[in-house]
Amino acid sequence: QVRPVESGGGLVQAGESLRLSCAHSGATFSFYDMGWYRQAPGKQRELVASISSDGGTTYADSVKGRFTISRDNPITTVYLQMDNLKPEDTAIYYCNIVPSLHTYWGQGTQVTVSP
């Protein structure tokens, strides 16, 4: 079954940066809005950034000004540049279309930010 493959997570200190990548191997979603979601321990999964097929972006208030989403077209990879990371950004990060497709969740990539 086709699923996205997320990568780029890791353990960093507060204030540092990470760049996440999401490869949509075997699938093409050129006309879909794409998004990065995250799920912190004990919390529901939330949408943190999205990008439309024509490049329009939206961000959750908690990451606005620090995170940047981008994509290549025709869609194969979606990126999330995360700057000035904070401990509250610690979560597993996933990519999916927007709104999400429940059969299209990947394994995610863990981001841990230490104080």
Side-chain angles (χ1 to χ4, degrees), residues 38-39 46 105:
R38 69 184 180 188
Q39 187 167 21
E46 63 173 341
W105 292 109

Side-chain angles (χ1 to χ4, degrees), residues 4-106:
V5 178
E6 301 94 346
S7 62
L11 172 63
V12 297
Q13 293 186 327
E16 294 185 339
S17 299
L18 283 173
R19 187 182 192 227
L20 306 183
S21 298
C22 175
H24 297 276
S25 178
T28 300
F29 294 101
S30 301
F31 301 103
Y32 288 81
D33 292 358
M34 305 301 299
W36 279 97
Y37 301 75
R38 69 184 180 188
Q39 187 167 21
K43 295 187 177 181
Q44 289 189 331
R45 188 149 39 195
E46 63 173 341
L47 177 65
V48 296
S50 65
I51 185 166
S52 66
S53 57
D54 62 0
T57 58
T58 61
Y59 299 93
D61 287 343
S62 58
V63 307
K64 200 171 295 183
R66 300 187 297 119
F67 290 10
T68 304
I69 189 172
S70 60
R71 66 192 285 175
D72 60 3
N73 281 322
I75 185 65
T76 57
T77 307
V78 181
Y79 305 96
L80 186 67
Q81 176 67 39
M82 306 187 296
D83 298 318
N84 190 22
L85 283 160
K86 302 177 180 181
E88 50 264 42
D89 295 319
T90 295
I92 301 175
Y93 285 71
Y94 304 86
C95 60
N96 205 317
I97 62 174
V98 179
S100 62
L101 183 62
H102 75 281
T103 58
Y104 194 60
W105 292 109

